[in-house]
Amino acid sequence: MNPQNFRYSKEHEWVGPVSNGVALIGITEYAEKELGDIVFLDLPPVGSQIQQYKKLGEVESVKAVSDICSPVSGVVLEINPSVMEHPELVNTEPYVGGWLLKVTLADLKELDNLMTAEEYEAWLTQVSTK
Amino acid sequence: MGRGIEMEKTLKRTPLYSSHLALGARLTAFAGWEMPVTYTSIIEEHQAVRSRAGLFDVSHLARFQIRGKGAESFLQRLITTDVRRLVQGRCCYTLLCKEDGGIVDDMMLFRLGEDAFWLVSNAANRAKVWEWLNRWKSTVDQLSLQDISEETIMMAYQGPSTARHLDSLCGETCSLLPRFGCTQTKLERYEVLVARTGYTGEDGFEFVASSTDALPLWNLLLQMGAKPCGLGARDSLRLEAGLLLYGNDIDEGINPYQARLGRLVHLEKGDFVGHQALKTIKEAGIKQCLVGFEMIGRGIARSGHPILASDQEIGRVTSGGYAPSLRRSIGLGYVPTLYTASGTRFLVGVRGRPVEAQVTILPFYRPQAGGQG
């Protein structure tokens, strides 16, 4: 289940609960299942500027590599150390232990460009039955 | 992060297709076939083969029957190994080479009788090999060639527990087979050709059976506790074992010496297609050679990535990926012979980012002591 209080992008990234302008970023369960076993993550260092819908890094599974596009603009505050050591956390806990970055959001209004859990799930049924 | 490959209507399906769907397989197009990539997780399937038993549908591989009084001399003319050294009930890994020494295909040759052989070659090369066999057919009398890929199926049953499991289905026929031994037997009531071979670096067996027995045989082996495995694990297993993939690591532009398959070139056996060229290549020595390497820096090498040294591109990665049993990233590629010693460092350009790598001894992975690998 996709958490109700998160927002989702069409590139299958999520932005987590916002508090004091800070939020977590990760990839969705759908994306993690599509990719299969995740074995490598390439993420920007702390302090990097990230931009909504722009590539922020790469996620690599046994079979393939994929770009990670940022769901929001902001500055990287922290990289999840556990996920760098154990990328498989993205598969087992995409919304909990498998978060990728903690970021300071540049513009809270950007969240309105993203989908709610309900909208994302409705959109997924469209994409996956195409 | 899209859905992947759109299935074309023209893709061939093996008789086990419905079973793959029922098992929840993710399918992909491979060499004209719609085949399972994975059923649950590539890593889980990989580990099942390393620790217990995995079952692969490899019916997409090309199978040819070569029979008749002329079969031995025909094969002797075409393959690079000495067919007279292949006794009945044994199989071997061998090559077909062009006149210039380039590799037409790599394959398994089974000797079932004095005048009866089976060839198992790459799915992608089925038409090419069939044409190649027929092109040289007229040089020999009393020869029958048959493509039996459609009327038969093939499964690979791989892992350290497989021999023990098979005892309950066929007595000790399978577990007493030596590595590279082959025989005709029955698994319960199903006729199979069994060989103690595989493409995983682990002990295991490969079966060829009638297409009509595909489903019951597949289910029989699954009931023994085998995990169904797809092409994803097949690729990660073979890479760890240092086994080459035609179309990636070898092709018609590569000769066996470059691919470190010189042991398969038996120049002393007498003339065969490519003999003269291979003799010349061997005497002159090669400039580029296949190496195995592991990544030291963070990054995963993939096929097609450049290999760099002193700001120059010195070669290309031909296979690369994450090795689940070694928990690191490994690869194969061609570099100048100067760079082939174990421990030599170079860089791999991982999507524009240079990442350090180090030449290692092949294979990357060897089975635990006591295994038959």
Side-chain angles (χ1 to χ4, degrees):
Chain A
M1 272 304 280
N2 302 297
Q4 290 298 318
N5 53 340
F6 287 16
R7 290 290 177 274
Y8 301 87
S9 73
K10 287 190 175 177
E11 285 79 29
H12 309 287
E13 282 82 24
W14 56 260
V15 51
V18 183
S19 103
N20 298 326
V22 172
L24 301 180
I25 285 177
I27 71 170
T28 67
E29 186 179 1
Y30 174 83
E32 148 289 285
K33 288 212 156 45
E34 283 291 306
L35 286 164
D37 299 305
I38 293 168
V39 292
F40 183 77
L41 289 159
D42 188 22
L43 298 173
V46 169
S48 309
Q49 300 264 354
I50 55 172
Q51 282 207 309
Q52 190 171 39
Y53 306 140
K54 294 277 166 61
K55 175 178 171 176
L56 70 75
E58 289 173 348
V59 53
E60 198 151 359
S61 68
V62 178
K63 276 312 268 184
V65 58
S66 229
D67 286 349
I68 308 171
C69 296
S70 185
V72 288
S73 306
V75 177
V76 178
L77 273 183
E78 192 182 335
I79 300 169
N80 182 355
S82 312
V83 93
M84 296 305 276
E85 188 77 7
H86 298 286
E88 65 273 16
L89 274 174
V90 178
N91 293 115
T92 53
E93 307 177 10
Y95 299 115
V96 192
W99 62 275
L100 304 177
L101 300 174
K102 184 185 277 184
V103 295
T104 311
L105 304 187
D107 181 2
L108 289 173
K109 283 203 251 6
E110 278 184 351
L111 295 171
D112 299 336
N113 304 334
L114 301 170
M115 291 177 276
T116 63
E118 199 179 332
E119 287 164 344
Y120 179 62
E121 276 154 31
W123 183 71
L124 277 186
T125 55
Q126 280 178 19
V127 204
S128 41
T129 53
K130 219 181 261 178
Chain B
M1 296 181 187
R3 237 235 168 233
I5 297 153
E6 295 269 331
M7 294 301 169
E8 290 169 43
K9 286 200 180 67
T10 52
L11 290 177
K12 288 196 278 283
R13 292 168 174 178
T14 81
L16 294 167
Y17 179 78
S18 59
S19 182
H20 299 323
L21 288 186
L23 289 163
R26 272 172 180 251
L27 301 163
T28 192
F30 181 80
W33 292 79
E34 194 174 356
M35 298 297 291
V37 185
T38 176
Y39 298 83
T40 55
S41 136
I42 293 174
I43 291 181
E44 274 176 37
E45 291 161 23
H46 181 109
Q47 306 292 20
V49 170
R50 290 277 180 256
S51 60
R52 298 177 307 279
L55 185 62
F56 301 80
D57 178 6
V58 290
S59 303
H60 62 301
L61 297 178
R63 293 173 289 285
F64 305 105
Q65 210 167 46
I66 300 163
R67 283 181 300 184
K69 291 268 176 255
E72 186 185 270
S73 56
F74 173 70
L75 285 165
Q76 191 72 335
R77 187 79 218 286
L78 289 191
I79 64 172
T80 58
T81 53
D82 189 348
V83 71
R84 288 168 309 190
R85 279 157 54 175
L86 184 66
V87 299
Q88 194 176 324
R90 287 287 191 280
C91 46
C92 68
Y93 180 50
T94 190
L95 302 171
L96 294 180
C97 284
K98 292 191 302 176
E99 292 90 336
D100 69 0
I103 301 171
V104 174
D105 202 7
D106 63 330
M107 47 188 47
M108 292 297 295
L109 177 66
F110 299 76
R111 186 163 206 166
L112 304 181
E114 188 57 31
D115 302 320
F117 299 86
W118 282 16
L119 267 183
V120 175
S121 77
N122 286 286
N125 289 338
R126 182 169 159 196
K128 182 175 81 170
V129 169
W130 179 244
E131 203 175 288
W132 189 257
L133 296 177
N134 279 285
R135 180 171 148 197
W136 298 92
K137 191 182 167 185
S138 59
T139 60
V140 180
D141 289 331
Q142 299 191 37
L143 179 71
S144 140
L145 291 181
Q146 208 185 342
D147 182 331
I148 54 166
S149 314
E150 308 278 335
E151 63 208 68
T152 59
I153 52 107
M154 188 164 174
M155 293 175 203
Y157 184 48
Q158 303 280 298
S161 309
T162 53
R164 189 163 40 82
H165 287 167
L166 287 169
D167 283 350
S168 64
L169 299 180
C170 62
E172 290 183 324
T173 312
C174 291
S175 55
L176 290 179
L177 265 187
R179 187 81 184 146
F180 288 99
C182 61
T183 188
Q184 246 137 356
T185 186
K186 279 184 173 184
L187 293 186
E188 286 197 334
R189 62 178 185 283
Y190 310 106
E191 293 275 356
V192 295
L193 169 78
V194 55
R196 198 162 198 163
T197 50
Y199 192 51
T200 59
E202 213 61 56
D203 188 20
F205 300 85
E206 291 175 299
F207 301 103
V208 179
S210 161
S211 285
T212 52
D213 293 337
L215 266 172
L217 260 176
W218 174 258
N219 289 329
L220 192 63
L221 292 168
L222 288 183
Q223 279 158 24
M224 303 305 296
K227 187 171 177 60
C229 299
L231 294 182
R234 187 170 162 81
D235 193 50
S236 57
L237 289 158
R238 72 90 194 169
L239 180 57
E240 283 186 348
L243 300 169
L244 308 186
L245 173 61
Y246 196 94
N248 277 43
D249 308 309
I250 44 174
D251 56 37
E252 291 187 2
I254 295 286
N255 67 59
Y257 296 107
Q258 292 170 317
R260 295 203 177 178
L261 297 174
R263 66 180 188 282
L264 302 181
V265 183
H266 298 170
L267 291 174
E268 70 289 354
K269 80 172 186 177
D271 195 28
F272 60 89
V273 181
H275 182 277
Q276 191 52 50
L278 289 168
K279 186 164 177 279
T280 308
I281 292 164
K282 188 183 183 186
E283 282 163 5
I286 48 164
K287 295 188 177 68
Q288 290 263 326
C289 182
L290 183 96
V291 286
F293 61 85
E294 61 180 40
M295 303 302 278
I296 297 170
R298 278 179 49 80
I300 298 180
R302 300 285 186 182
S303 174
H305 287 170
I307 298 174
L308 315 156
S310 318
D311 293 332
Q312 299 269 318
E313 179 172 330
I314 58 165
R316 288 262 160 186
V317 175
T318 54
S319 284
Y322 177 75
S325 304
L326 309 169
R327 301 184 65 85
R328 67 178 92 118
S329 175
I330 57 173
L332 298 171
Y334 285 87
V335 293
T337 47
L338 180 65
Y339 292 89
T340 54
S342 174
T344 306
R345 303 254 174 136
F346 49 63
L347 300 168
V348 175
V350 178
R351 290 178 300 285
R353 191 168 54 93
V355 180
E356 201 172 14
Q358 174 176 285
V359 175
T360 61
I361 293 166
L362 290 173
F364 301 101
Y365 168 88
R366 281 177 197 281
Q368 305 300 307
Q372 284 263 344

